[in-house]
Amino acid sequence: MSNKSPAEIRDAMWKAMAASPYVMLGLTGKHQHAEPMYAVLDEDAHSEFWFYTKRDNRAAEGGPAMVQFVAKGHDLFACIAGTLTEESDPAIIDKYWSKQVEAWYEQGRQDPSLLMLRFDLDDAEVWETDQSLLGKLKMFTGQTIKGWLAPALTHTPRTLDLIAEYGMTYTCDLYHDDQPAPVQVKSGRLVSMPYSIEVNDHYGFFVYNMSPRDYADTLIRQYERLAREGERSGTVMCIPLHSYLIGQPHRIGPFEEVLRHIAADGRAWIARAGEIVDAYRAQTQGTAI
Amino acid sequence: MSLDPSYLTYPRRAQGMDHDLYAWSHFFERPPIVWPDGKSVAIWPVISLEWFPILPADRPFRAPGHMQTAYPDYRHYTAREYGTRVGFYRLLDAFEKVGARISVACNGAVAERYPQLVADIVAGGHEIIAHSTDMNGTIDSSLAEDEERLVIARSLAMIEQASGQRPRGWLSIARSQSFATPRLLAEASLSYMCDWVHDELPVRFDTPAGGIVNMPLNHELSDRQIINVQQQSVDSYAVQMQDAYRWLAEEAQSHGGRMMPMHLTPYIMGLPYRMDAFDALVQWLAEQPGAWFATGSQIVEQSGI
């Protein structure tokens, strides 16, 4: 076994991939072959890379996927699990665009078949050959933080510009809507994700003095209304929780019933904020008002 | 030790009011009012449309609902904007579903900044009541008369510019007036104001600049008072409004037309988890045989004062 730290192994993997960014890519659980792809890496991105491809690619639909990598000198091997998503940010598509990439598309950058896929890494296993000894280590790549919730929900006038500059894609600190909405920032692109003060457990228990069952009833009403309105255009229901409040024995039972109700209903897509932002951007190209 | 005799001498001690704005009258002995089609209770919904500048002016005072955290208070700014973007349309839908015409108390700044809101209110046949300039446009007797006159004139001009109609009604922020306000509103040719909650029916005021009607927009029946201040549920709010309606309808049998104000705040009542109960309340009210949904102007006209 290697005595390298996970950070050293991660660095070794990125270095080897940068030197020879050819990988095999296949969707997980699909009975189809993997195919060779050219990975677009960014030295500042430690949990994602991209592929320029076409809409008829067998991986175009995205979802859970696996990437296999063999270093040029056959001294490092990696199997990386993650999720493929269409990259909807034109700035990213432009960022890595080159003459070599352009040669693949008849109509260049505007070619309708152009598809850029982002691969978000979940975890990787990396093998190294070291004097005929094969070392195997499990490595977690860690996530890049994409969203921001301000402590005490306070800001300076610079905050939103700064978090966008640092590559974050969404803020949870604006409460003006029940749908995601674009936020104008100096650089980068930012989406407002509707967090909620009003159905926050803190508000329920300490502002409105609700009992646990009243709070559960409030969440179900919130859900029912937003689900009905969402039939026309998708809405977002955020349930902000504090484990020291909702996790108490007299509160957690009614809350679990709420989750069962929502999960069984069929109209809810229970998702992480980043996935909601991705879905929103893919449909609106981030330009919707 | 005996009371200083000066406490007991008061030059205006007599039956009646200690001001000249209106004559005293006994609520239960006035000639009965008759609403159209023999209806017993005029239901007067008023939705407030408020724009809070992110920098509170605090002069003369900070309006209820204004910013609370350090600058810039995105939290409260955007939570209030939720009302104008989302909540207002939910409330409007609830009333339009039953064919009700309502009043909307609108900051001049809302009319200026969000012309679509004004267009939708006018297109629905609803009435706009002038509600100061913005939520920094508060009034009390520390405000110089010229400044107050300017607040009123600017509010009316901003709304008229956006709606094409000069408002007939006025609502001060937090219902707070100076001693000059009724006169200044009459001077601006407004027909009615909604600031005094001393009565349950329209009352004519006489000022040196002419007459003006006061329409009592009782804050005790508002969503802000019941839900935000008293922290009662929307179900309880709905029951309280039904109780109020039943009481007033009963009183109308022996005393003539009654009026029930419903003062609503889009960022309070317009939340998803409150709206279904509110929709049901509006539906219930519309089904009451004695209910007449009306705008402030319709009620003033019909009351014949």
Side-chain angles (χ1 to χ4, degrees):
Chain A
M1 294 285 278
S2 167
N3 57 7
K4 286 180 174 167
S5 72
E8 286 172 315
I9 291 173
R10 183 174 71 177
D11 287 349
M13 183 188 87
W14 285 121
K15 213 173 192 175
M17 285 186 70
S20 171
Y22 298 93
V23 301
M24 295 293 288
L25 167 70
L27 296 178
T28 310
K30 304 272 174 184
H31 292 282
Q32 62 184 25
H33 292 288
E35 63 179 279
M37 299 285 281
Y38 183 92
V40 177
L41 308 182
D42 184 327
E43 60 180 332
D44 294 327
H46 296 303
S47 68
E48 59 197 358
F49 49 79
W50 293 265
F51 302 106
Y52 285 104
T53 182
K54 293 188 176 176
R55 296 208 170 266
D56 59 1
N57 186 286
R58 65 180 78 160
E61 65 181 280
M66 283 280 191
V67 162
Q68 279 85 31
F69 170 72
V70 180
K72 208 172 179 183
H74 301 167
D75 52 355
L76 185 143
F77 306 82
C79 179
I80 309 167
T83 309
L84 269 183
T85 315
E86 177 172 352
E87 178 56 70
S88 57
D89 187 344
I92 298 268
I93 300 173
D94 289 338
K95 188 174 175 185
Y96 305 105
W97 191 259
S98 65
K99 287 270 178 247
Q100 288 85 336
V101 173
E102 183 152 339
W104 287 94
Y105 302 97
E106 266 181 34
Q107 297 173 46
R109 174 71 176 81
Q110 302 311 321
D111 196 304
S113 71
L114 167 62
L115 172 68
M116 191 184 207
L117 291 170
R118 186 181 70 245
F119 185 67
D120 291 299
L121 285 65
D122 289 331
D123 57 64
E125 290 188 1
V126 179
W127 291 265
E128 287 187 292
T129 44
D130 181 11
Q131 299 170 347
S132 81
L133 177 73
L134 186 70
K136 179 184 169 186
L137 269 183
K138 179 136 181 155
M139 184 191 78
F140 291 97
T141 53
Q143 288 184 356
T144 305
I145 302 296
K146 297 282 183 65
W148 178 265
L149 176 70
L153 314 181
T154 60
H155 293 74
T156 74
R158 290 182 298 268
T159 310
L160 295 177
D161 286 333
L162 285 174
I163 63 174
E165 190 182 316
Y166 274 85
M168 272 173 250
T169 57
Y170 64 94
T171 164
C172 311
D173 288 319
L174 307 174
Y175 311 113
H176 56 299
D177 217 297
D178 285 324
Q179 291 185 318
V183 181
Q184 287 191 23
V185 281
K186 282 184 183 159
S187 65
R189 291 171 68 228
L190 199 65
V191 169
S192 164
M193 271 297 290
Y195 179 78
S196 170
I197 298 177
E198 293 284 343
V199 298
N200 196 305
D201 61 349
H202 176 81
Y203 245 60
F205 297 131
F206 293 121
V207 173
Y208 294 120
N209 297 315
M210 293 175 187
S211 74
R213 285 172 188 278
D214 286 344
Y215 178 63
D217 178 55
T218 298
L219 291 178
I220 286 175
R221 291 180 188 213
Q222 180 90 348
Y223 171 71
E224 290 294 333
R225 181 79 189 197
L226 288 172
R228 211 163 61 244
E229 291 185 5
E231 284 163 15
R232 197 180 64 77
S233 175
T235 48
V236 174
M237 173 175 171
C238 175
I239 310 178
L241 301 168
H242 300 79
S243 49
Y244 63 90
L245 296 177
I246 197 70
Q248 301 286 351
H250 58 310
R251 297 188 181 123
I252 193 71
F255 179 67
E256 199 173 72
E257 282 168 32
V258 172
L259 296 184
R260 283 187 211 288
H261 174 94
I262 292 174
D265 180 69
R267 288 173 298 174
W269 173 43
I270 300 173
R272 295 172 290 187
E275 295 173 305
I276 298 170
V277 171
D278 283 341
Y280 166 73
R281 276 184 158 189
Q283 286 175 50
T284 61
Q285 301 298 316
T287 55
I289 291 172
Chain B
M1 192 174 147
S2 61
L3 193 64
D4 186 321
S6 70
Y7 281 94
L8 302 172
T9 59
Y10 179 57
R12 303 189 62 164
R13 186 179 300 281
Q15 186 184 25
M17 312 309 296
D18 58 356
H19 57 69
D20 300 321
L21 287 166
Y22 52 84
W24 178 81
S25 81
H26 194 305
F27 183 69
F28 294 96
E29 290 170 6
R30 291 180 206 157
I33 289 178
V34 179
W35 301 131
D37 303 324
K39 300 286 187 183
S40 48
V41 182
I43 300 174
W44 177 39
V46 180
I47 305 177
S48 279
L49 282 179
E50 308 167 328
W51 181 65
F52 294 84
I54 204 162
L55 281 171
D58 287 351
R59 187 180 156 274
F61 62 90
R62 191 179 293 207
H66 218 312
M67 303 298 109
Q68 291 172 34
T69 75
Y71 172 83
D73 185 351
Y74 291 156
R75 171 179 173 178
H76 291 94
Y77 184 87
T78 59
R80 304 301 172 253
E81 286 294 278
Y82 182 93
T84 45
R85 288 171 69 96
V86 184
F88 176 71
Y89 283 99
R90 290 195 180 119
L91 295 176
L92 205 58
D93 281 352
F95 287 114
E96 290 186 345
K97 245 184 272 175
V98 300
R101 300 271 167 89
I102 62 162
S103 297
V104 179
C106 184
N107 284 167
V110 168
E112 201 172 76
R113 294 167 62 91
Y114 312 133
Q116 184 66 50
L117 282 173
V118 170
D120 292 337
I121 295 164
V122 172
H126 308 292
E127 178 191 22
I128 297 182
I129 292 173
H131 187 29
S132 197
T133 46
D134 59 39
M135 296 310 281
N136 280 350
T138 51
I139 292 170
D140 70 17
S141 282
S142 68
L143 194 66
E145 191 172 312
D146 285 349
E147 285 184 75
E148 183 178 351
R149 190 177 279 115
L150 195 62
V151 167
I152 296 166
R154 282 186 51 221
S155 166
L156 294 172
M158 288 157 108
I159 290 167
E160 191 174 1
Q161 172 75 25
S163 69
Q165 292 163 15
R166 188 142 179 104
R168 299 179 60 194
W170 173 271
L171 173 65
S172 299
I173 293 171
R175 299 169 176 73
S176 173
Q177 297 194 341
S178 74
F179 288 115
T181 308
R183 169 168 52 85
L184 296 179
L185 296 176
E187 195 182 290
S189 302
L190 283 149
S191 308
Y192 70 98
M193 60 185 191
C194 318
D195 294 337
W196 288 49
V197 293
H198 62 303
D199 209 282
E200 258 173 13
L201 285 169
V203 171
R204 176 162 291 279
F205 282 37
D206 292 311
T207 82
I212 185 165
V213 171
N214 183 73
M215 286 278 287
L217 181 63
N218 192 344
H219 66 291
E220 290 289 354
L221 280 77
S222 69
D223 58 354
R224 177 180 299 283
Q225 183 78 351
I226 293 173
I227 291 179
N228 266 31
V229 177
Q230 299 181 292
Q231 294 176 3
Q232 292 163 7
S233 69
V234 69
D235 289 352
S236 174
Y237 164 86
V239 168
Q240 293 175 54
M241 297 306 282
Q242 288 173 323
D243 286 346
Y245 178 85
R246 287 191 196 99
W247 182 270
L248 293 170
E250 178 68 27
E251 220 170 71
Q253 299 305 313
S254 44
H255 292 89
R258 288 296 185 242
M259 181 179 98
M260 183 172 108
M262 293 177 80
H263 193 193
L264 299 160
T265 315
Y267 69 81
I268 297 174
M269 189 58 81
L271 297 177
Y273 73 88
R274 295 195 177 120
M275 275 310 298
D276 284 358
F278 185 75
D279 276 343
L281 169 66
V282 172
Q283 192 65 45
W284 183 88
L285 288 169
E287 285 162 6
Q288 302 313 303
W292 174 48
F293 278 105
T295 66
S297 281
Q298 287 174 315
I299 295 170
V300 169
E301 277 166 28
Q302 192 67 30
S303 65
I305 63 161

